[in-house]
């Protein structure tokens, strides 16, 4: 299944074009940083460290991929994001620090990280473990939250409490999205049988409160380490009602090939796990930096998912007329009835035409009129793509 979806992704998005777009975006982002430095009125007194500062700024500059769909992905906003594994991690580097936010009591997770079986390289990066109650008590105001935000590079949170964090941490963490807490599964899982189902207690057995069992307490140190590494190599997918989803897929210090690899992984995960009907529901894919324009890397040839989604012009006009009449303070009853009749007639004609169209499509797939309309749409989209590539060439030049 994974191989098929990967093949489908490579067919939809041209790798060479993706690498070229990533190269243009990286160069454009670098030029924007240079222009910003030139506009500074005060001279840099630490000129010797200018190169290091530029590298640090590039590491802190995220690259975003915007996926536009034809229909809404979800009906309601989801506070708990999904995760897609990346071949090139965004949170690499032994110097990056991690803050782990856990459910109470936090001492269980501190002891698990201090356990000798926990990897030493990962332990050195986890500089703070804080429980939910202490987070509420110590970081109520804006200034403590801002200091916590600046002290750590990555924030990981127990998946059981991640939906409570937006209200506790506020816009300091959730406005920009650069350091939103990443959910991790660090709870001790309940016992399961050979069939994978949770083992139920015998009837009449009294439930005892035992730490570390029945889904409570910290998981084994090896499991926690594995979950932390998995979260550090994943991209977050925040879904909300709408047709546009933005995902951070790389940093400005990546090379174009690394960016293209992450783009393919994210698109494969989105079309197979999150977007209903996969590529059929995708309208366009763009990439951008926080201060740049969006660079297109793929656009669809069809602007709708199904043929039934296209409304007749008369039907749309009838609905608009009915809506305008209903908005009047004292509408004429005769006009409303006529507008309703017009909508019903258009609906009947639409249903009849839809049945005839389906019948013709079953009998003869190559209808000349449909072929001409499809060719015209493809020609229009092809022209749009050529214009977009011309704009990229101008920026690159």
């Amino acid at each position: 299944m994974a191989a098929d979806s990967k093949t489908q992704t490579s067919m939809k998005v041209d790798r060479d074009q993706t690498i070229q777009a990533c190269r243009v975006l990286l160069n454009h982002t670098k030029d924007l940083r240079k222009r910003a430095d030139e506009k500074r009125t005060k001279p840099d007194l630490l000129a010797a460290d200018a190169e290091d500062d530029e590298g640090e700024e590039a590491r802190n500059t995220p690259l975003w991929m915007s996926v536009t769909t034809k229909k809404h992905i979800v009906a309601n906003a989801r506070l708990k994001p999904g995760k897609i594994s990346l071949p090139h991690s965004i949170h690499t580097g032994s110097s990056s620090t991690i803050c782990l936010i856990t459910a109470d009591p936090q001492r269980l997770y501190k002891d698990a990280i201090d356990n000798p079986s926990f990897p030493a390289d990962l332990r050195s990066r986890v500089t703070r473990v804080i429980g939910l109650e202490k987070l509420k008590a110590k970081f109520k105001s804006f200034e403590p939250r801002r200091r916590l935000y600046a002290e750590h590079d990555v924030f990981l949170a127990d998946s059981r409490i991640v939906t409570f964090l937006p209200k506790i941490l506020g816009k300091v963490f959730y406005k920009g999205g650069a350091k939103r807490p990443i959910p991790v599964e660090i709870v001790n899982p309940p016992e399961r049988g050979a069939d994978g189902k949770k083992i139920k207690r015998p009837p009449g057995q009294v439930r005892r409160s035992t730490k570390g069992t029945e889904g409570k307490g910290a998981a084994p140190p090896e499991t926690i380490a594995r979950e932390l590494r998995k979260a550090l190599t994943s991209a977050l997918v925040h879904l909300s009602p709408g047709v546009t989803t933005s995902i951070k897929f790389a940093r400005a210090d990546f090379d174009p090939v690394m960016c293209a690899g992450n783009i393919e992984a994210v698109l494969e995960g989105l079309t197979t796990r999150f977007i209903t009907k996969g590529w059929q529901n995708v309208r366009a894919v763009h990439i951008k930096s926080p201060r740049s324009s969006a660079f297109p890397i793929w656009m669809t040839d069809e602007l709708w998912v199904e043929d039934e989604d296209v409304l007749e012009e008369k039907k749309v006009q009838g609905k608009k007329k009915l809506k305008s009449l209903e908005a009047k303070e004292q509408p004429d009853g005769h006009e409303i009835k006529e507008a309703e009749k017009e909508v019903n007639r258009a609906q009947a004609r639409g249903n009849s035409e839809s049945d005839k169209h389906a019948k013709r499509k079953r009998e003869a797939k190559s209808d000349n009129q449909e072929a001409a309309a499809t060719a015209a749409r493809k020609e229009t989209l092809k022209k749009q793509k050529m214009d977009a590539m011309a704009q990229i060439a101008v920026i690159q030049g």
Side-chain angles (χ1 to χ4, degrees), residues 34-81:
K34 289 183 177 179
R35 294 174 188 174
D37 293 339
E38 292 174 356
K39 291 182 179 179
R40 293 176 182 173
T41 56
K42 295 182 179 179
D44 189 3
L45 300 179
L46 301 176
D49 298 332
E51 185 175 353
D52 296 337
D53 293 341
E54 183 178 355
E56 183 66 23
E57 185 177 357
R59 285 189 293 271
N60 293 330
T61 302
L63 301 182
W64 297 86
M65 179 172 62
S66 177
V67 179
T68 306
T69 57
K70 302 170 186 176
K71 292 185 177 181
H72 287 198
I73 302 177
V74 292
N76 301 314
R78 299 179 183 179
L79 292 178
K80 186 176 180 180

Side-chain angles (χ1 to χ4, degrees), residues 266-284:
V266 172
L267 289 177
E268 179 184 348
L270 281 176
T271 54
T272 56
R273 294 169 47 197
F274 297 99
I275 299 179
T276 306
K277 296 189 178 181
W279 279 103
Q280 189 179 358
N281 192 20
V282 179
R283 182 186 293 266

Side-chain angles (χ1 to χ4, degrees), residues 274-320:
F274 297 99
I275 299 179
T276 306
K277 296 189 178 181
W279 279 103
Q280 189 179 358
N281 192 20
V282 179
R283 182 186 293 266
V285 180
H286 296 76
I287 56 175
K288 68 183 298 294
S289 68
R291 294 184 293 178
S292 73
S293 302
F295 292 82
I297 60 175
W298 185 83
M299 297 180 69
T300 184
D301 293 333
E302 297 289 344
L303 300 182
W304 52 84
V305 180
E306 303 290 349
D307 291 339
E308 290 75 10
D309 296 336
V310 183
L311 300 177
E312 286 191 20
E313 183 178 359
K314 292 184 178 179
K315 181 179 177 181
V316 176
Q317 292 176 354
K319 287 187 175 181
K320 289 182 178 179

Side-chain angles (χ1 to χ4, degrees), residues 111-123 219-226 229:
D111 294 341
I113 294 176
D114 293 336
N115 192 290
S117 60
F118 195 88
D121 62 328
L122 190 58
R123 184 191 303 118
E222 298 83 358
T223 304
I224 294 179
R226 183 173 64 253
R229 292 189 188 278

Side-chain angles (χ1 to χ4, degrees), residues 79 132 136 160-169 174:
L79 292 178
L132 185 62
K136 292 180 181 178
R160 297 172 296 172
I161 64 170
V162 71
T163 55
F164 304 136
L165 297 181
K167 185 176 180 180
I168 299 174
L169 298 177
Y174 285 88

Side-chain angles (χ1 to χ4, degrees), residues 170-205:
K171 65 179 182 180
V172 176
F173 283 79
Y174 285 88
K175 184 177 181 180
K179 294 185 181 181
R180 287 186 180 182
I182 304 173
V184 290
E185 300 288 343
I186 57 176
V187 66
N188 190 38
E191 295 183 2
R192 299 184 181 275
D195 56 354
K197 296 183 179 180
K198 182 179 177 180
I199 299 177
K200 298 182 179 180
R201 298 189 309 275
Q205 180 180 350

